């Protein structure tokens, strides 16, 4: 029976509104074939170490291997950077795929046919169009590359241009650069001869019709293919080489089913892993900037094409890193270009910095002149925080004009108001404090102005969503109020989380084992005097409830059921809590005369310890709550009631600590 892949994990390959149905049979076939060592081994060189495999982490730069794969638990974990997950999660993280894209990748690897429910005629037509455009683009890329390397004109004109720019043959082939002959219809004739439809050739922008005849749109130009995140060519940029005042310097693919400029950044496919490893994305303007930096070994770089950044492009960057550094020309136009659209970057939660290239150069020429090492040093020492950079530039422009300074303050407040995520509250406060000092204005006044802009934006959004309710929209929380400050027991809740996760660990690792003659470990845990509604971690509760329901239905869930759970939060927590087994040398006992106890032989103590520590944490929380009630007690009767509860809780605490062998210090 077909099942819906959850919306959050489905592919966007065929449009934002597509709900892709993959059959349960397909998913189960894939899960049954998954070998995490085989899958990870496609990307990481692994060596067997005892029961596990070890290699260099693909997610951060390291020289000593700390990336461990457990075939028995079907999970990986890096003890250097902390990344962990299952086989599907590894493909999603490494290749930056959606869940459905990862499923399709695994299906192709294991030669499993993906079963889908019948699609509507409209979706079928869209899908066929997209596939047809991919095929045409692939042919075009191969044609342009062949022309560049294998024809006399291509070598004399196109290849010589790239070589003059300092591009090596390896980098030209890596980016699949090409050349279109300076003839009216050379490419069109080749494509039509191969049987490609004129309709699709026109949709890709490769061919136009003039006087009823097909003609090449990119003739006499060098070609820069544009790739999507999976490496497929979805469009082209074409640069003219002859001096022609009437023709534009660059022509780009017109928007179509595949090519949507606002959602693309040139070079993403080649940069995605380097961005993740460096935890920083360098953003430049043009194709050649990207290629030159890659050739210099600086690969965490993409290009915007010189336009203002869009929300979709910013979210694309955020898939790989939270740190964006923009490299632009240092002239006035470059400064203005650097500032466009960056308020949106703050709203997306990106940490934005800028480094302006000196001496009227661009990244392409500058890295070729000073070299990769000096270029990296320049970025590190010259990049400036976006807000302070904007403040510096605006102050210089305003001079001593009071009106312009007033406008500056208002613009700055509007920019700071974009930092509106709860987790960035402290950052927002730091900006307000430091900008107030630089501008020599009242800090509270800037706070009020920031809140005003935040309030106006919320009201505007509400009017768009619900015009009738806009009049009664509550005011936004002031920027001086700490989010979560009023939440009772926040510190205790954080302390409890570790114990709650520990209970999930012993349940997943030992739940199937026998507790006594009549029950399993899982049954024993669920019979324990523990109120699960007191568990604060919502994901822990969901795992316990799911596990308990299966046990009560007479089933014994396998650990992999939770590792590959459709709920990504459950899957992530299951992977995070599972232990990697420590390997003990077989010579340890003989060399050191120390008896080493295997964890499997002491699982009952492990289970009891997890239960008792969780109970102890809950009792401590109740003791604290009772102490607060005692301080508020208004009558002797209320005080006596609190004292009796205190004694009862302390007795329970002593009993549990006695079982644990714990000493109570307070």
């Amino acid at each position: 029976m077909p099942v819906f892949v959850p919306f959050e994990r489905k592919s966007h390959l065929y449009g934002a509104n597509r709900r892709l149905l993959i059959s349960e049979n397909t998913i189960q076939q894939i899960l049954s074939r998954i070998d995490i060592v085989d899958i990870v081994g496609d990307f990481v060189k692994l060596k067997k170490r005892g029961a596990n495999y070890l290699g260099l982490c693909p997610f951060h730069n390291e020289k000593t291997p700390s990336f461990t794969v457990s075939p028995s638990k079907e999970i990986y974990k890096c003890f250097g950077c902390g990344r962990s997950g299952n086989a599907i999660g590894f493909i999603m993280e490494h290749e930056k795929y959606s869940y459905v894209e990862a499923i399709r990748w695994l299906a192709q690897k294991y030669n499993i046919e993906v079963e889908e429910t019948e699609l509507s005629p409209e979706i079928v037509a869209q899908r066929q169009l997209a596939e047809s455009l991919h095929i045409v683009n692939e042919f075009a890329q191969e044609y342009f590359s062949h022309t560049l390397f294998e024809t006399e004109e291509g070598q004399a004109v196109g290849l010589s241009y790239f070589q003059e720019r300092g591009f090596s043959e390896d980098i030209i082939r890596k980016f699949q650069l090409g050349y279109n002959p300076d003839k009216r219809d050379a490419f069109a004739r080749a494509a039509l001869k191969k049987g490609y439809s004129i309709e699709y050739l026109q949709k890709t922008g490769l061919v136009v019709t003039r006087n009823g005849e097909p003609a090449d749109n990119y003739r006499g130009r060098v070609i820069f293919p544009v790739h999507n995140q999976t490496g497929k060519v979805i469009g082209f940029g074409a640069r003219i080489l002859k001096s022609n005042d009437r023709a534009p310097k660059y022509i780009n693919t017109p928007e179509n089913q595949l090519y949507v400029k606002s959602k693309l950044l040139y070079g993403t496919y080649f940069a995605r892993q380097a961005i993740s490893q460096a935890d920083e994305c360098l953003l430049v303007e043009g194709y050649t900037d990207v290629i030159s930096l890659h050739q210099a070994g600086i690969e965490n770089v993409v290009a915007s094409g010189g336009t203002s950044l869009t929300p979709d492009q910013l979210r694309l960057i955020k898939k790989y890193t939270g740190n964006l550094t923009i490299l632009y020309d240092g002239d006035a136009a470059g400064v203005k270009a650097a500032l466009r659209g960056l308020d949106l970057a703050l709203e997306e939660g990106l940490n934005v910095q800028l480094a302006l290239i000196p001496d009227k150069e661009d990244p392409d020429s500058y890295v070729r002149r000073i070299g990769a090492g000096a270029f990296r040093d320049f970025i590190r020492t010259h990049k400036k925080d976006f807000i302070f950079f904007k403040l510096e530039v605006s102050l210089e422009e305003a001079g001593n004009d009071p009106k312009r300074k007033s406008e500056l303050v208002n613009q700055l407040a509007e920019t700071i108001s974009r930092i509106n995520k709860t987790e960035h509250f402290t950052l927002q406060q730091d900006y307000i404090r430091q900008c107030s000092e630089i501008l020599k204005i009242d800090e509270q006044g800037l706070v009020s102005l920031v809140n005003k802009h935040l309030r106006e934006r919320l009201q505007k959004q509400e009017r768009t969503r619900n015009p009738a309710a806009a009049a009664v929209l509550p005011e936004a929380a002031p920027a001086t109020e700490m989010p979560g400050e009023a939440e009772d027991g926040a510190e205790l809740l954080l302390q409890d989380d570790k114990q709650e996760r520990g209970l999930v660990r012993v349940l997943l690792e030992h739940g199937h084992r026998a507790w006594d003659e009549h029950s399993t470990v899982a049954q024993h845990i669920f019979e324990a005097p523990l109120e699960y509604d007191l568990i604060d971690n919502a994901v822990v509760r969901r795992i316990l409830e799911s596990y308990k329901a299966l046990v009560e239905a007479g089933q014994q869930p396998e650990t992999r059921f939770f590792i590959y759970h459709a709920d990504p939060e459950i899957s992530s927590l299951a992977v995070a809590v599972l232990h990697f087994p420590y390997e003990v040398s077989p010579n340890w006992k003989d060399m050191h005369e120390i008896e080493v106890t295997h964890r499997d032989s002491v699982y009952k103590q492990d289970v009891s310890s997890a239960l008792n520590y969780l109970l102890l944490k809950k009792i401590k929380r109740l003791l604290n709550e009772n102490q607060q009630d005692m301080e508020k007690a208004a009558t002797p009767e209320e005080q006596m009631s609190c004292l009796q509860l205190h004694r009862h809780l302390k007795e329970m605490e002593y009993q549990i600590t006695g079982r644990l062998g714990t000493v109570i210090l307070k």
Side-chain angles (χ1 to χ4, degrees):
M1 179 175 176
V3 294
F4 275 108
V5 175
F7 177 79
E8 298 81 8
R9 303 168 71 175
K10 72 178 191 298
S11 171
H12 61 273
L13 286 175
Y14 308 116
N17 296 322
R18 170 175 167 113
R19 268 187 93 80
L20 182 64
L21 275 70
I22 294 181
S23 72
E24 179 65 22
N25 179 54
T26 298
I27 293 174
Q28 292 307 318
Q29 281 189 66
I30 291 169
L31 292 179
S32 68
R33 294 285 301 279
I34 279 177
D35 178 346
I36 192 168
V37 175
D38 176 40
I39 291 165
V40 174
D42 284 345
F43 305 93
V44 180
K45 186 177 180 181
L46 296 172
K47 290 186 178 180
K48 189 168 174 55
R49 292 285 178 86
N52 297 326
Y53 289 79
L54 197 65
L56 293 173
C57 179
F59 303 121
H60 80 289
N61 293 317
E62 63 175 8
K63 296 181 179 178
T64 303
S66 60
F67 184 82
T68 308
V69 179
S70 170
S72 62
K73 296 184 184 296
E74 298 187 50
I75 60 177
Y76 69 88
K77 182 174 178 63
C78 176
F79 292 94
C81 68
R83 304 280 183 92
S84 62
N86 58 33
I88 296 175
F90 178 84
I91 295 299
M92 292 172 67
E93 179 73 22
H94 191 275
E95 295 300 292
K96 304 305 175 185
Y97 283 171
S98 68
Y99 179 77
V100 169
E101 288 169 331
I103 287 290
R104 289 185 177 280
W105 187 93
L106 290 165
Q108 185 175 17
K109 177 179 176 65
Y110 293 116
N111 294 316
I112 296 171
E113 184 178 354
V114 177
E115 297 176 356
E116 297 178 359
T117 59
E118 186 176 353
L119 302 175
S120 68
E122 293 78 14
I123 295 296
V124 170
Q126 291 176 15
R127 188 168 179 177
Q128 289 175 342
L129 174 58
E131 290 173 353
S132 297
L133 295 181
H134 274 305
I135 292 169
V136 171
N137 285 337
E138 184 180 2
F139 167 77
Q141 180 271 309
E142 291 173 354
Y143 174 86
F144 295 142
S145 291
H146 178 270
T147 303
L148 181 73
F149 285 107
E150 306 297 335
T151 69
E152 185 177 335
E153 181 184 344
Q155 293 174 0
V157 182
L159 192 58
S160 64
Y161 168 78
F162 287 133
Q163 290 170 341
E164 286 171 10
R165 298 299 301 252
F167 297 161
S168 68
E169 182 174 332
D170 286 344
I171 206 73
I172 293 171
R173 291 190 183 276
K174 174 181 177 179
F175 282 86
Q176 300 180 328
L177 306 183
Y179 176 74
N180 194 30
D182 191 14
K183 297 180 177 65
R184 185 182 188 279
D185 58 356
F187 168 76
R189 281 189 288 105
L192 291 170
K193 185 177 179 180
K194 285 286 185 179
Y196 294 104
S197 163
I198 186 65
E199 176 190 355
Y200 294 138
L201 290 170
Q202 289 175 320
K203 283 184 181 295
T204 60
L206 294 163
V207 173
V208 294
T209 301
R210 293 193 178 99
N211 300 321
E213 295 292 329
D216 291 359
N217 198 28
Y218 301 151
R219 61 184 180 276
R221 293 175 181 262
V222 287
I223 307 297
F224 298 84
V226 179
H227 303 79
N228 65 11
Q229 294 171 63
T230 62
K232 289 186 176 181
V233 177
I234 57 174
F236 300 92
R239 187 192 191 282
I240 197 167
L241 298 183
K242 291 183 177 180
S243 177
N244 188 335
D245 294 336
R246 296 179 60 188
K249 184 177 180 181
Y250 277 96
I251 298 177
N252 295 305
T253 296
E255 296 218 346
N256 58 37
Q257 188 78 6
L258 304 180
Y259 187 89
V260 182
K261 191 172 183 181
S262 64
K263 296 183 178 182
L264 300 172
L265 290 168
Y266 178 74
T268 303
Y269 172 70
F270 302 102
R272 66 200 195 287
Q273 292 180 23
I275 293 170
S276 292
Q277 289 184 345
D279 195 21
E280 180 182 32
C281 176
L282 305 180
L283 180 73
V284 295
E285 253 187 298
Y287 303 135
T288 54
D289 293 327
V290 170
I291 298 169
S292 286
L293 289 172
H294 269 263
Q295 183 165 280
I298 302 170
E299 298 185 343
N300 58 320
V301 56
V302 296
S304 63
T307 59
S308 297
L309 287 168
T310 67
D312 285 321
Q313 290 171 327
L314 293 167
R315 289 171 196 137
L316 179 58
I317 292 169
K318 201 173 179 182
K319 282 182 63 175
Y320 308 107
T321 181
N323 300 305
L324 171 62
T325 299
I326 300 175
L327 310 179
Y328 273 139
D329 306 349
D331 58 12
V335 171
K336 289 181 179 178
L339 296 178
R340 287 199 303 266
L342 291 190
D343 284 1
L344 291 174
L346 297 178
E347 205 165 340
E348 291 297 329
L350 287 166
N351 170 38
V352 185
Q353 295 184 301
L354 299 100
L356 299 180
I357 307 299
D359 304 325
K360 297 183 179 179
E361 293 198 70
D362 54 31
D364 171 23
S365 62
Y366 197 56
V367 73
R368 283 191 281 112
R369 183 164 69 82
I370 68 173
F375 192 88
R376 286 192 181 95
D377 290 340
F378 172 81
I379 296 171
R380 187 178 64 254
T381 56
H382 287 78
K383 61 184 178 183
K384 297 180 180 179
D385 178 272
F386 161 60
I387 286 182
F388 295 126
F389 176 85
K390 185 174 183 178
L391 178 57
E392 179 183 319
V393 171
S394 300
L395 276 173
E396 187 175 337
E397 288 182 349
N400 295 320
D401 187 333
K403 184 179 179 181
R404 296 188 70 177
K405 277 190 175 181
S406 175
E407 292 172 353
L408 182 164
V409 172
N410 190 55
Q411 292 171 3
L412 185 68
E414 203 278 334
T415 294
I416 295 175
S417 74
R418 301 276 182 171
I419 308 170
N420 56 13
K421 297 184 185 298
T422 302
E423 62 268 29
H424 298 146
F425 172 82
T426 304
L427 177 65
Q428 185 194 65
Q429 297 305 296
D430 285 342
Y431 279 130
I432 290 174
R433 178 178 53 78
Q434 294 185 57
C435 289
S436 298
E437 292 174 0
I438 294 170
L439 290 165
K440 295 182 174 57
I441 60 175
D442 176 56
E443 182 176 333
Q444 190 56 46
L446 186 54
V447 167
S448 299
L449 197 53
V450 168
N451 284 329
K452 173 179 173 289
H453 283 288
L454 179 59
R455 206 159 42 238
E456 288 175 351
R457 190 159 59 253
L458 288 172
Q459 288 172 341
K460 183 177 179 181
Q461 291 170 359
E462 184 63 22
R463 278 194 296 270
T464 303
R465 288 194 300 264
N466 186 4
V472 292
L473 182 70
E475 291 193 355
T480 52
E481 181 182 319
M482 175 67 76
E485 238 177 9
E487 294 176 11
D488 295 332
E491 185 179 350
L492 287 169
L493 295 180
L494 290 173
Q495 292 173 356
D496 282 347
D497 184 69
K498 184 177 180 181
Q499 314 306 324
E500 295 172 0
R501 290 159 66 95
L503 184 63
V504 169
R505 178 184 62 78
V506 296
L507 185 62
L508 296 183
E509 288 191 336
H510 308 302
H512 65 286
R513 299 180 186 277
W515 180 257
D516 54 32
E517 294 179 1
H518 308 291
S519 62
T520 63
V521 166
Q523 290 168 330
H524 172 73
I525 288 174
F526 293 124
E527 291 169 0
L530 182 65
E531 297 178 30
Y532 294 105
D533 59 348
L534 287 176
I535 290 176
D536 304 300
N537 187 315
V539 184
V540 168
R541 282 202 307 274
R542 295 208 297 273
I543 291 177
L544 293 175
E545 289 165 358
S546 177
Y547 203 115
K548 186 177 182 180
L550 290 168
V551 169
E552 290 176 346
Q555 301 177 40
Q556 179 55 58
E558 295 182 4
T559 303
R560 74 194 317 268
F561 172 81
F562 294 95
I563 290 175
Y564 291 103
H565 201 281
D567 183 335
E569 291 184 324
I570 287 179
S571 174
S572 296
L573 181 58
V575 169
V577 300
L578 288 172
H579 279 176
F580 274 83
Y582 294 101
E583 302 295 333
V584 180
S585 168
N587 300 320
W588 186 263
K589 180 179 178 181
D590 296 334
M591 293 174 61
H592 302 284
E593 297 183 355
I594 296 174
E595 187 70 44
V596 179
T597 304
H598 196 276
R599 289 180 66 235
D600 287 349
S601 64
V602 293
Y603 70 86
K604 289 186 179 181
Q605 293 95 310
D606 199 8
V607 172
S608 295
S609 177
L611 280 171
N612 284 320
Y613 270 117
L614 185 56
L615 284 167
L616 185 60
K617 283 290 183 182
K618 297 304 175 183
I619 288 171
K620 285 184 176 294
R621 186 172 74 169
L622 291 172
L623 280 167
N624 277 291
E625 292 174 353
N626 187 60
Q627 180 65 35
Q628 294 172 10
D629 291 341
M630 195 181 301
E631 292 171 359
K632 298 174 183 176
T635 66
E637 290 78 12
E638 290 176 352
Q639 289 181 341
M640 181 57 67
S641 176
C642 290
L643 282 170
Q644 289 174 346
L645 178 57
H646 179 80
R647 292 194 192 100
H648 176 67
L649 291 171
K650 292 300 288 185
E651 286 175 8
M652 292 178 65
E653 183 183 48
Y654 279 118
Q655 289 174 7
I656 294 172
T657 54
R659 293 197 294 267
L660 290 169
T662 305
V663 177
I664 300 176
L665 298 177
K666 182 178 178 181

